Amino acid sequence: MRTLFCLLFMMAFSLNTFSQRVDENKLLYERKVQQYTKMKKTGGTLGIIGGGLTIVGVALVASADWEDEVDEYGYTTTTTDASGVLGIVSLSVGIPMAVTGIVLNSVGNRKLKEYTQKLENVNVGYFKSGQQNGITLAITF
């Protein structure tokens, strides 16, 4: 009777640690999936806004009135109207924003796939071989 009670106690203890071990890995990977999903969405938003600003900047620069002047040394200087200056500012903000968005989106997408795959590949099991009992935790890479 005492042996049966001790065996049941050890099984209950093993199952308790088994469930805690699974939750730690699952929670870690789920948190990583959420973080990289947020990074991917932020990168997509930045990329779209940056691309729009770049297109608007190109249109403003192309439609601006440009004047060429020659100084006493023979160099040509260009003066612009307000839409040209606004176009240059839009380009100087839009291009870095688009590049940053593309980088964040690609890194977020790659890491999201990696941690989603790890979340699916966590394998936890219980084995009994003769008189040996145990818990296995396998992460497939």
Side-chain angles (χ1 to χ4, degrees):
M1 182 70 176
R2 187 178 300 167
T3 307
L4 181 62
F5 178 72
C6 288
L7 181 64
L8 289 175
F9 180 74
M10 290 301 288
M11 285 180 58
F13 181 72
S14 297
L15 289 175
N16 188 20
T17 58
F18 166 76
S19 65
Q20 289 176 356
R21 182 92 172 153
V22 172
D23 287 340
E24 284 179 14
N25 289 328
K26 262 190 164 178
L27 290 176
L28 173 71
Y29 293 145
E30 287 174 356
R31 190 175 72 235
K32 292 287 186 181
V33 165
Q34 289 174 353
Q35 288 174 346
Y36 288 117
T37 301
K38 186 178 178 182
M39 179 188 282
K40 181 181 171 185
K41 288 181 182 179
T42 302
T45 304
L46 281 174
I48 290 171
I49 292 171
L53 282 173
T54 302
I55 291 171
V56 168
V58 167
L60 287 174
V61 167
S63 67
D65 293 329
W66 297 90
E67 297 176 7
D68 294 331
E69 297 176 358
V70 179
D71 59 3
E72 65 255 11
Y73 300 108
Y75 294 112
T76 303
T77 58
T78 306
T79 59
T80 62
D81 62 357
S83 67
V85 173
L86 186 60
I88 291 173
V89 170
S90 178
L91 281 173
S92 65
V93 171
I95 292 173
M97 189 180 287
V99 170
T100 304
I102 290 169
V103 169
L104 284 177
N105 191 359
S106 64
V107 168
N109 191 22
R110 183 173 43 92
K111 290 290 192 174
L112 177 65
K113 286 180 184 177
E114 177 185 335
Y115 281 104
T116 302
Q117 186 179 13
K118 281 186 178 183
L119 184 63
E120 292 172 359
N121 288 338
V122 173
N123 185 11
V124 179
Y126 175 77
F127 71 90
K128 182 174 182 178
S129 175
Q131 293 183 359
Q132 296 179 348
N133 297 331
I135 301 168
T136 60
L137 172 66
I139 300 175
T140 308
F141 295 98

